[in-house]
Amino acid sequence: MTSRLKMDLPELLKRRIQGAEGLKVGSLPQVQGAEFCLGIKAGSFMLCFKLHIKKKYELWCLVGPEPARFSLIEFEHLTGPNYDYVENLENPRCEVMEETTAFWQLLGVGIDDGFTTYQIITSCKRCAEWSCDYQMRLRYLAIFTGFIEGRKFSTVIRASLARLVMDLEEFENYPWGRFAFKVLMDSLWNKDLIKYYTIDGFVQAIQVWVYYALPEVGVEYGHPVQNKPSPPLLAYNGGKGRIFF
């Protein structure tokens, strides 16, 4: 198993994301500041025991006497950002204003175009003289592309979602938790999880779910954080290397 979500994000993108604990987008980007170690062994092991069910947005794995479920409920418990239901989750209405056009020009893309993570990285190199609001929007876009979408760096991100940054309050209160869960589960749907495969989205949630569903594994390999911070996503430092179950 590999992930499109690279924990070895470019240094410029890391610096742009630092301080995300003060933002209102939940704990997803905080794993970068916490130096969470992404290890695919625990998740790939668990997914090998995936049961075939009809529900697209539930994952059941039979490990031990009872199956373990991964659904929106578990994802919300583990990560904690906004999960409110909204219509047109992937295509919200955003009015294109003059300021929107100006900001998109700074990013170097057309008003109707999305952009790639590579373009966000390029913008990070030349944003020093941007206004505070524009720099905040760039930080949110870095979080969106690097953690919420978590796709290949060359993949174009849809403009309809990215435009939400033009209203900072609306962006902060958007149900990114629900959206991040959908991206992850869409990526897992109908994949042969025995062979080599790639996952988009916030794959750290799968890793921490294994620690949570199998406490012995969490203690042995998850490197728990003292005082058990909340949500559980922040309660582990993760780990790489061979795991013996």
Side-chain angles (χ1 to χ4, degrees):
M1 177 180 76
T2 62
S3 169
R4 296 296 190 194
L5 186 80
K6 306 289 187 182
M7 287 311 291
D8 56 339
L9 290 171
E11 192 62 33
L12 279 168
L13 208 56
K14 286 183 181 180
R15 291 202 299 266
R16 186 54 50 189
I17 291 171
Q18 283 176 354
E21 63 273 8
L23 306 181
K24 300 178 182 179
V25 289
S27 60
L28 274 63
Q30 291 184 41
V31 294
Q32 182 67 61
E35 298 183 355
F36 183 89
C37 184
L38 177 63
I40 63 175
K41 295 294 185 181
S44 60
F45 168 83
M46 192 74 152
L47 294 176
C48 286
F49 296 92
K50 177 177 175 290
L51 299 175
H52 295 284
I53 63 172
K54 293 182 179 180
K55 293 183 178 181
K56 181 176 181 179
Y57 294 107
E58 282 191 14
L59 179 69
W60 290 82
C61 295
L62 184 56
V63 179
E66 296 183 0
R69 183 185 71 173
F70 183 79
S71 69
L72 183 63
I73 295 173
E74 284 74 30
F75 192 89
E76 179 178 9
H77 173 71
L78 293 171
T79 61
N82 190 344
Y83 285 82
D84 293 342
Y85 173 80
V86 295
E87 294 184 0
N88 301 319
L89 178 67
E90 297 180 273
N91 191 31
R93 287 189 60 186
C94 297
E95 184 179 352
V96 177
M97 301 174 291
E98 184 176 339
E99 189 178 19
T100 310
T101 303
F103 183 60
W104 250 239
Q105 288 176 346
L106 283 177
L107 295 175
V109 296
I111 189 60
D112 294 322
D113 300 330
F115 49 83
T116 67
T117 302
Y118 286 129
Q119 289 171 310
I120 294 298
I121 295 169
T122 299
S123 297
C124 289
K125 298 177 181 179
R126 48 183 176 80
C127 68
E129 297 183 0
W130 293 10
S131 69
C132 292
D133 281 349
Y134 279 180
Q135 291 197 33
M136 178 64 75
R137 291 185 175 108
L138 182 60
R139 170 182 279 188
Y140 277 146
L141 288 179
I143 292 171
F144 175 64
T145 58
F147 288 89
I148 297 173
E149 282 268 13
R151 302 184 190 275
K152 189 176 180 180
F153 286 179
S154 59
T155 300
V156 176
I157 304 300
R158 289 162 289 186
S160 59
L161 284 163
R163 286 177 190 153
L164 288 171
V165 297
M166 300 312 300
D167 185 329
L168 294 176
E169 183 177 357
E170 182 177 6
F171 186 95
E172 291 171 346
N173 291 291
Y174 202 72
W176 293 119
R178 183 178 289 270
F179 178 79
F181 172 77
K182 187 177 186 304
V183 170
L184 178 61
M185 296 303 282
D186 285 344
S187 180
L188 285 169
W189 181 245
N190 280 341
K191 275 199 170 83
D192 184 348
L193 300 180
I194 302 300
K195 300 180 179 179
Y196 178 88
Y197 56 94
T198 298
I199 296 178
D200 295 328
F202 193 68
V203 72
Q204 286 91 338
I206 294 288
Q207 183 177 346
V208 176
W209 169 61
V210 175
Y211 299 154
Y212 185 77
L214 304 174
E216 298 87 352
V217 175
V219 171
E220 184 72 20
Y221 301 104
H223 299 96
V225 177
Q226 291 183 352
N227 301 322
K228 295 183 178 180
S230 181
L233 176 68
L234 303 179
Y236 298 93
N237 284 323
K240 295 182 179 180
R242 186 178 296 275
I243 296 178
F244 298 94
F245 292 92

